[in-house]
Structure formats: C-alpha cells, structure tokens
Amino acid sequence: MKKILLLALAAAGAVVVRKKMADGRDEQALWAEATDTVRKAH
C-alpha cells in the first residue's frame, strides 16, 4: 500500500513540475514577444 501511495505522490509531483515548466516557457515567450525590437517597414 505504501508503494502505491508513493507512486501516486511521485506522479502528482511530476505533473506539477511539468505544468510549472510549461507556464515558465509560456511566460518567457510572452516576454520575448513584448520586448522584441520593432522593425521599421521599408
């Protein structure tokens, strides 16, 4: 029973970490877009 509980906790932890990484990547993409230099039209 303890093994199943530990496995479930590890899986939940992995999901949380993966979501935080994805959120960080999305945030970084927004900042990159917001701070990108503006190109002048020719």
Side-chain angles (χ1 to χ4, degrees):
M1 186 68 174
K2 288 182 183 179
K3 288 181 182 180
I4 293 173
L5 180 60
L6 287 174
L7 183 63
L9 286 173
V15 168
V16 169
V17 168
R18 188 172 182 182
K19 182 172 180 357
K20 285 201 177 262
M21 289 177 66
D23 289 346
R25 209 171 23 246
D26 292 345
E27 184 73 16
Q28 182 64 33
L30 284 174
W31 274 107
E33 182 180 344
T35 59
D36 194 14
T37 57
V38 177
R39 296 184 187 137
K40 294 182 180 178
H42 293 326

